């Protein structure tokens, strides 16, 4: 399929190449398409999911919202670890004041990201200077853990290049990237259709195709924004057949499989 696109440049394929650095990076293009396709195999109603995702990428604030959510989630880990360490670190009062100041900054930064204040959070990162790390005579496991996560926060989190971009710069990049994202999704859509056509030609079925077919028999009016849906009559009939449904290793199921399961479990008050 890549050869066909290179020869015709259809569906704005040139825009897709721009996203990944030009024709010399065809391997990168192929890997990106495969990653999106693999994701497509794990979501309910993949064609509608692509439309939903593309519509979100039209909204420039989508990137700000996504970035804020990701950073807030990372900071929640640091916040929890610092919170646990505060009760057991063997530092003197001066050293503990340093740790408490770092913890306070992490909490403030997380709050800014959770409020969606990207520019405020970026200014906070830019203006923050960490004090010298406190020391103690006993090099216990607790202090070692503190120094490890402190270094991680200082050298990995605070130095992210994305914090150099304000909202206006992010919006500008989002506008520039939209045609490229659209081209990527068009490629993935055709790639997916070609794979299914080949399976039908050979009279074979993939596990995800079987799962998608099962879902279409059980669920209708699926909303990708909320995850809400309406059960079909078949799903209602099946759910009446069970008192309970027990699923081993449920943490390993994907959204597609989870929706199938929730469609057939008994409704309880």
């Amino acid at each position: 399929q890549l050869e066909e696109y290179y020869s015709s440049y259809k569906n704005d394929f040139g825009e897709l190449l721009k996203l990944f650095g030009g024709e010399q990076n065809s391997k990168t293009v192929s890997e990106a398409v495969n990653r999106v396709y693999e994701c497509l195999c794990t979501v309910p109603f993949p064609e509608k999911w692509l439309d939903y995702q593309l519509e979100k990428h039209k909204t420039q604030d989508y990137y700000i919202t996504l970035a804020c959510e990701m950073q807030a989630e990372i900071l929640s880990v640091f916040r929890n670890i610092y919170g646990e360490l505060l009760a057991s670190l063997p530092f003197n009062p001066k050293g503990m004041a340093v740790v408490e100041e770092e913890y306070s900054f992490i909490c403030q930064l997380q709050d800014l990201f959770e409020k969606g204040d990207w520019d405020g959070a970026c200014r906070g990162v830019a203006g923050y200077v960490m004090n010298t790390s406190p020391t103690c005579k006993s090099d216990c496991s607790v202090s070692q853990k503190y120094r490890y996560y402190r270094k991680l926060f200082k050298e990995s989190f605070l130095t992210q290049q994305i914090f150099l971009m304000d909202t206006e710069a992010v919006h500008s990049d989002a506008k520039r990237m939209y045609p490229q994202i659209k081209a990527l999704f068009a490629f993935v859509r055709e790639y997916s259709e070609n794979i299914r056509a080949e399976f039908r030609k050979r009279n074979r079925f993939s596990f995800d195709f079987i799962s998608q077919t099962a879902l279409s028999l059980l669920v209708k009016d699926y909303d990708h924004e909320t995850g809400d849906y309406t059960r079909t009559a078949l799903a209602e009939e099946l759910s009446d057949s069970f008192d309970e449904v027990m699923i081993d290793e449920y943490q390993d199921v994907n959204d597609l499989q989870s929706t199938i399961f929730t469609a057939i479990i008994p409704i309880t008050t």
Side-chain angles (χ1 to χ4, degrees), residues 13 86 93 99 105-106 124 133 144 173 217 266 269:
F13 186 61
L86 277 171
V99 181
F105 174 71
I106 289 171
S133 177
Q144 289 176 359
D173 265 15
L217 296 172
T269 56

Side-chain angles (χ1 to χ4, degrees), residues 163-198:
F163 294 143
L164 300 176
M165 299 179 66
D166 60 14
T167 298
E168 184 178 352
V170 173
H171 284 175
S172 177
D173 265 15
K175 185 177 181 180
R176 175 181 56 81
M177 287 178 60
Y178 178 74
Q180 300 164 356
I181 298 296
K182 183 178 180 181
L184 174 62
F185 282 11
F187 192 105
V188 171
R189 194 185 299 272
E190 185 170 338
Y191 179 62
S192 176
E193 291 171 354
N194 289 344
I195 289 177
R196 293 201 173 192
E198 187 63 27

Side-chain angles (χ1 to χ4, degrees), residues 235-264:
E236 296 284 1
E237 181 181 342
L238 286 172
S239 70
D240 290 339
S241 304
F242 307 113
D243 293 323
E244 294 178 345
V245 176
M246 298 183 66
I247 303 167
D248 189 29
E249 302 293 338
Y250 190 78
Q251 73 275 7
D252 294 330
V253 305
N254 56 42
D255 289 347
L256 167 60
Q257 296 162 345
S258 179
T259 307
I260 291 174
F261 293 138
T262 56
I264 63 172

Side-chain angles (χ1 to χ4, degrees), residues 110-262:
Q110 184 186 8
D111 291 343
L112 287 172
F113 281 125
E114 288 181 344
K115 293 175 182 176
D117 186 359
W118 176 259
D119 288 343
C122 289
R123 286 193 297 270
V125 170
Y128 184 66
V129 179
M130 294 189 79
N131 293 311
T132 302
S133 177
T135 59
C136 63
K137 293 181 180 180
S138 60
D139 192 24
C140 62
S141 59
V142 178
S143 60
Q144 289 176 359
K145 182 178 181 180
Y146 161 70
R147 283 196 292 273
Y148 171 79
Y149 282 101
R150 183 184 195 275
K151 182 178 180 181
L152 196 64
F153 178 67
K154 180 180 180 180
E155 298 182 3
S156 298
F157 183 84
L158 293 178
T159 57
Q160 293 180 84
Q161 293 296 306
I162 192 173
F163 294 143
L164 300 176
M165 299 179 66
D166 60 14
T167 298
E168 184 178 352
V170 173
H171 284 175
S172 177
D173 265 15
K175 185 177 181 180
R176 175 181 56 81
M177 287 178 60
Y178 178 74
Q180 300 164 356
I181 298 296
K182 183 178 180 181
L184 174 62
F185 282 11
F187 192 105
V188 171
R189 194 185 299 272
E190 185 170 338
Y191 179 62
S192 176
E193 291 171 354
N194 289 344
I195 289 177
R196 293 201 173 192
E198 187 63 27
F199 269 100
R200 287 194 295 269
K201 180 180 176 182
R202 301 185 184 191
N203 197 28
R204 295 181 180 179
F205 300 92
S206 64
F207 184 73
D208 67 279
F209 179 76
I210 295 172
S211 299
Q212 293 288 358
T213 303
L215 182 67
S216 67
L217 296 172
L218 301 170
V219 166
K220 60 183 179 180
D221 302 325
Y222 186 86
D223 187 333
H224 282 284
E225 179 70 30
T226 63
D228 294 336
Y229 58 83
T230 302
R231 290 183 175 191
T232 64
L234 176 60
E236 296 284 1
E237 181 181 342
L238 286 172
S239 70
D240 290 339
S241 304
F242 307 113
D243 293 323
E244 294 178 345
V245 176
M246 298 183 66
I247 303 167
D248 189 29
E249 302 293 338
Y250 190 78
Q251 73 275 7
D252 294 330
V253 305
N254 56 42
D255 289 347
L256 167 60
Q257 296 162 345
S258 179
T259 307
I260 291 174
F261 293 138
T262 56

Side-chain angles (χ1 to χ4, degrees), residues 68-82:
C68 283
E69 290 175 352
M70 291 174 64
Q71 301 303 333
E73 187 174 345
I74 295 170
L75 284 168
S76 70
V77 176
F78 284 107
R79 185 173 187 165
N80 290 336
I81 291 170
Y82 264 73

